[in-house]
Amino acid sequence: MNKSDFITSDDLPFLVKSGALPSGAYVPAMSYLRDPEFWKTWAIRALLALAVGHILSGIIFFFAFNWNDLAPMVKFAVVGGGICASVLAWFIAKLDSPAGQAFGIAATVLVGVMFAVLGQVYQTPALIHTPFVFWALLTLPFALASRNLAHWAVWIAILVVAISTYANSGLRLMGNHAAANWLNIAVSGGFVLGLVALDKVIAPRMKWARAEWFRVLLVVGAAAFAFAGFTESFWGRYIDHNLQSLAWVSAALILGGLLAYLYSLKPTLATLSLTSFGLFALIAQFGFKLFDGFGDAVGIFLLMTLWIGGLTIAMVQLFKHYRDHTAHHRQSKPKDEDDEEEDFGLTRTVEDFASHLALSKNDVTKALASEPDRNTPWYMHTFLAIAGILTALVGCGFVGSFVALILNDASGFVYMAFGLVIFAASLVFRRKAKPLYLQHILNTMIIIGGLIAAVGFGIEAKNFDLIIFVLLALSICVLLLVRDRILEFLAAAAIITLIGIELYHLKVPMAETFILVIATVMGVFCLTRPIGRRLYSAAGTAFLIAPAILGIALVHAHRWDNLAESSRFSDDLTARIISLLVLLGAVAYLNRGKALSDFKPPLLVLIPLVIGAALVPLGGASALLLILAGYILGSRTLAIIGTLLQIYFLTMFYYDLSLDLLTKSIILFVSGLIFLGVWIFVRKESEVTS
């Protein structure tokens, strides 16, 4: 049997598109393809992380409240006691257990807190990189003792900060730019060597080290530091020319060598496409430097468009080849049941899937076989979109400079007509375009055309509300008429943003709450209910993220046209009650048709989570809804986005001026104990069930 005989949740939009999966059967299909074992394990670990995070935060907030009254040695004793307690709990809970690993990471983090206390008490004059260097050195034994990639990821993050701050705050401040560039390039090479060691020495012997996400993390590190070293040395004017050339050539060779290694010995789509995009970012700079100062603006933009466009076309062809190459590699290598190189999640045979949902097996098979994008992962689409948008922006510079010569002082009507022509033509051609590169070019032309038309309309109408209405109408047209996940996400983001801007402009009371309700309703509906033969999952994600993004904006905006303050979004009791009702309503809708005993997550878990969302301000309920939607629907993307946002809002809780630090510490510590109790109960229930 081959991949065409199996189906995953990623294939459902294709079935909806072909009509093989009715709209009403979409949620049951998602539930059938959801991996219950993975999400059960994920939920247990997430509860433990929440418990440990809240308890540690509560302790830190408590001592922050009394910090000025504590003697220096007491401060050291408090943090040192926390490190010892974490290490002791790590051993008691066993090094390899989830609880033990959480305490191990806590010990690593508290070592950094100790250096912060040291700097505060003694006002050490050390540069910013010094504590991070010692932090990385002292916690390396913890990472070595931990058989956990998450712990290693935390340690690598500390090391990366230490090196980056040393290069930028140390070497560059001393004027030694060449050494800083070479350090970045050396670190890139270190990431490559670490990847080779992981693949050839560590992973074959240790099963816990085989997760693909960690390999991707190492490739990201190699590409990022190579880009930094290449760019600084390629454009720098402050070092010897020969040494400068050797530096950027070395950075390019490191990425080229990484690509050769991955292609020949350990090919996966994620690492190959990521490395290729990194090389694209390096090679693209040659064109910008080569054509800099060449002729007039029109000529420069034309040459740059041809250069970036050619590179993008080459990347499209490479990605197509990578799909075939990695598929051939998986089929040709020996079967190893312990190999965890790829993680496709839960799969079902097409026959079982069709039988379970009373669908036609032939229709399902035909729909999957006829879909060319089925084997193109989202990250490939993203890389090509970025390259396509870059090409289109440069191309728009060419078009804009050319049009400026022709139109010169044209009226708003001319700009409006010209923009609408570009918008409409691009929209028509985009609906028929098949090549990925051409699709991304047309996507950007659609955006540019719409903006030109809106500018022209604004020049003539001079009415803010009408401009918003025009932009809203154009965004809705794009959302409904173009099948493209990236453009769909951007159009949905534009729609909810324009609605929010208009609400603020009209000075609508509790505008944030209206945005929350509208965005949540539209987001949940788009994620769970296909319209016609199309599922608007990207739009649904954009809508659900919008309230949390608004919360972030309000955290950092002291005033927004005298309407928004940093505490307004969720500190108001009425607004918070409404946000929790919206959260519960969305969860109930996602679980529609189920008895309370079958809810995901169970009520015993859901209730403490909702209480936590009620206590953490500034969009915490929206972030929690993303996590719960990801858990219920089996979407790792939603769960990851929600988790990152929730971490942010928990951090921002420190700056909530409506509560003092003592009250915050009590709230966090008690909620952490509640989460810990729920985790213990759920873990025992899971062990009994198993």
Side-chain angles (χ1 to χ4, degrees):
M1 301 181 76
N2 52 46
K3 188 180 178 182
S4 61
D5 297 318
F6 294 91
I7 187 171
T8 69
S9 57
D10 293 334
D11 298 320
L12 294 184
F14 303 136
L15 299 185
V16 173
K17 176 182 176 182
S18 67
L21 183 66
S23 297
Y26 177 76
V27 172
M30 285 286 293
S31 180
Y32 185 63
L33 294 174
R34 180 179 179 273
D35 188 346
E37 290 301 317
F38 168 83
W39 287 105
K40 182 171 69 175
T41 303
W42 180 88
I44 291 174
R45 292 179 177 177
L47 281 170
L48 177 61
L50 277 172
V52 174
H54 279 72
I55 291 173
L56 286 176
S57 299
I59 294 172
I60 292 172
F61 280 27
F62 175 77
F63 285 106
F65 177 74
N66 299 282
W67 198 251
N68 292 330
D69 298 328
L70 296 177
M73 294 311 298
V74 175
K75 296 177 180 179
F76 289 125
V78 168
V79 182
I83 295 173
C84 294
S86 296
V87 172
L88 181 61
W90 187 9
F91 279 95
I92 292 175
K94 298 181 181 179
L95 295 179
D96 295 339
S97 69
Q101 292 165 355
F103 284 116
I105 294 174
T108 297
V109 172
L110 287 175
V111 170
V113 176
M114 176 65 81
F115 280 108
V117 173
L118 181 68
Q120 184 189 60
V121 170
Y122 294 108
Q123 296 296 309
T124 55
L127 293 173
I128 188 173
H129 66 269
T130 305
F132 285 98
V133 171
F134 283 104
W135 188 2
L137 290 174
L138 291 178
T139 55
L140 178 59
F142 290 169
L144 291 171
S146 173
R147 298 161 57 88
N148 179 259
L149 290 178
H151 197 150
W152 275 102
V154 171
W155 184 83
I156 289 174
I158 297 169
L159 181 65
V160 165
V161 173
I163 295 172
S164 300
T165 52
Y166 176 64
N168 296 306
S169 300
L171 294 174
R172 294 197 193 281
L173 285 180
M174 294 185 293
N176 201 345
H177 298 283
N181 295 338
W182 279 107
L183 178 60
N184 285 328
I185 295 169
V187 173
S188 176
F191 272 108
V192 175
L193 293 176
L195 178 65
V196 175
L198 178 71
D199 289 341
K200 300 301 178 184
V201 180
I202 302 172
R205 294 170 174 80
M206 302 178 184
K207 186 177 179 179
W208 59 268
R210 297 177 185 175
E212 178 66 12
W213 69 266
F214 192 74
R215 297 185 72 246
V216 172
L217 178 66
L218 295 179
V219 172
V220 169
F225 276 95
F227 178 81
F230 179 94
T231 303
E232 289 286 347
S233 55
F234 187 73
W235 295 96
R237 310 289 187 190
Y238 36 75
I239 58 177
D240 177 77
H241 179 72
N242 293 329
L243 188 61
Q244 175 182 345
S245 300
L246 181 61
W248 61 258
V249 168
S250 299
L253 288 176
I254 287 174
L255 272 193
L258 174 60
L259 183 62
Y261 163 75
L262 293 170
Y263 183 86
S264 302
L265 300 174
K266 195 75 171 179
T268 62
L269 279 177
T271 53
L272 283 173
S273 57
L274 180 59
T275 307
S276 298
F277 182 74
L279 279 173
F280 168 86
L282 268 55
I283 298 173
Q285 298 183 53
F286 282 98
F288 288 98
K289 193 170 188 178
L290 179 63
F291 304 131
D292 185 24
F294 183 84
D296 55 15
V298 177
I300 292 174
F301 278 120
L302 176 60
L303 292 173
M304 289 182 176
T305 302
L306 295 175
W307 174 258
I308 304 299
L311 290 176
T312 306
I313 292 173
M315 191 161 61
V316 170
Q317 299 304 316
L318 272 177
F319 283 1
K320 291 180 179 178
H321 175 68
Y322 290 159
R323 290 188 306 191
D324 298 333
H325 180 64
T326 53
H328 175 74
H329 177 79
R330 285 196 302 270
Q331 293 173 1
S332 62
K333 72 178 183 178
K335 177 71 174 177
D336 182 2
E337 63 182 8
D338 290 332
D339 188 2
E340 297 182 9
E341 173 189 318
E342 299 280 359
D343 181 15
F344 293 109
L346 185 65
T347 59
R348 303 277 191 181
T349 64
V350 171
E351 184 175 0
D352 290 343
F353 176 80
S355 175
H356 179 79
L357 295 170
L359 303 175
S360 168
K361 178 186 174 183
N362 291 334
D363 289 346
V364 173
T365 303
K366 183 179 178 180
L368 296 178
S370 62
E371 184 52 59
D373 285 343
R374 189 188 180 205
N375 296 323
T376 304
W378 65 269
Y379 44 82
M380 281 189 171
H381 282 288
T382 302
F383 293 147
L384 293 177
I386 295 172
I389 288 173
L390 179 60
T391 309
L393 289 176
V394 179
C396 287
F398 164 69
V399 174
S401 58
F402 183 75
V403 170
L405 293 176
I406 299 174
L407 298 181
N408 202 2
D409 296 327
S411 67
F413 288 112
V414 175
Y415 279 96
M416 184 168 55
F418 184 70
L420 288 176
V421 169
I422 295 177
F423 179 83
S426 302
L427 204 61
V428 171
F429 286 117
R430 174 62 184 83
R431 286 172 59 84
K432 299 178 180 179
K434 299 298 181 183
L436 287 175
Y437 167 68
L438 179 60
Q439 290 178 1
H440 298 310
I441 289 289
L442 292 172
N443 287 350
T444 307
M445 294 302 296
I446 290 171
I447 297 171
I448 296 297
L451 290 175
I452 293 175
V455 169
F457 187 86
I459 293 174
E460 294 299 327
K462 295 182 176 62
N463 186 301
F464 183 82
D465 297 321
L466 285 178
I467 295 172
I468 294 295
F469 177 79
V470 170
L471 289 173
L472 188 61
L474 294 176
S475 300
I476 293 174
C477 287
V478 172
L479 180 64
L480 296 178
L481 297 178
V482 181
R483 283 181 176 269
D484 183 274
R485 283 179 289 183
I486 295 170
L487 203 59
E488 177 187 319
F489 182 92
L490 294 176
I495 289 171
I496 194 63
T497 301
L498 291 168
I499 291 174
I501 291 173
E502 184 64 14
L503 289 174
Y504 276 115
H505 180 252
L506 296 176
K507 300 185 184 299
V508 175
M510 298 181 64
E512 299 88 353
T513 299
F514 278 100
I515 295 171
L516 172 68
V517 174
I518 294 170
T520 302
V521 171
M522 295 174 69
V524 172
F525 183 82
C526 288
L527 285 170
T528 59
R529 188 72 182 182
I531 302 173
R533 291 190 174 186
R534 183 175 173 186
L535 177 72
Y536 292 86
S537 57
T541 302
F543 286 132
L544 287 188
I545 292 175
I549 298 300
L550 176 60
I552 293 175
L554 294 177
V555 169
H556 298 285
H558 296 293
R559 287 194 176 274
W560 190 353
D561 292 335
N562 296 321
L563 289 173
E565 297 179 357
S566 60
S567 62
R568 181 177 171 186
F569 182 63
S570 62
D571 283 349
D572 179 77
L573 180 60
T574 303
R576 187 173 297 184
I577 291 173
I578 293 175
S579 68
L580 292 179
L581 292 176
V582 170
L583 169 62
L584 291 174
V587 173
Y589 179 81
L590 291 170
N591 283 284
R592 63 189 184 278
K594 298 179 182 177
L596 289 178
S597 58
D598 297 327
F599 261 44
K600 293 194 290 281
L603 294 182
L604 186 63
V605 177
L606 178 62
I607 292 172
L609 289 176
V610 172
I611 294 173
L615 297 174
V616 178
L618 303 166
S622 297
L624 178 59
L625 178 57
L626 281 164
I627 298 174
L628 294 176
Y631 175 77
I632 295 168
L633 298 176
S635 171
R636 300 187 191 190
T637 302
L638 292 176
I640 291 171
I641 294 173
T643 300
L644 294 175
L645 288 170
Q646 194 66 265
I647 292 172
Y648 169 84
F649 288 123
L650 181 61
T651 303
M652 287 299 103
F653 190 35
Y654 180 85
Y655 301 100
D656 181 7
L657 300 180
S658 64
L659 300 173
D660 58 48
L661 284 173
L662 180 60
T663 304
K664 294 175 190 176
S665 68
I666 295 173
I667 290 173
L668 289 171
F669 189 79
V670 172
S671 59
L673 291 178
I674 294 173
F675 288 136
L676 185 62
V678 174
W679 172 76
I680 293 172
F681 176 81
V682 172
R683 187 162 176 256
K684 288 183 178 179
E685 288 291 316
S686 176
E687 292 174 352
V688 170
T689 304
S690 300

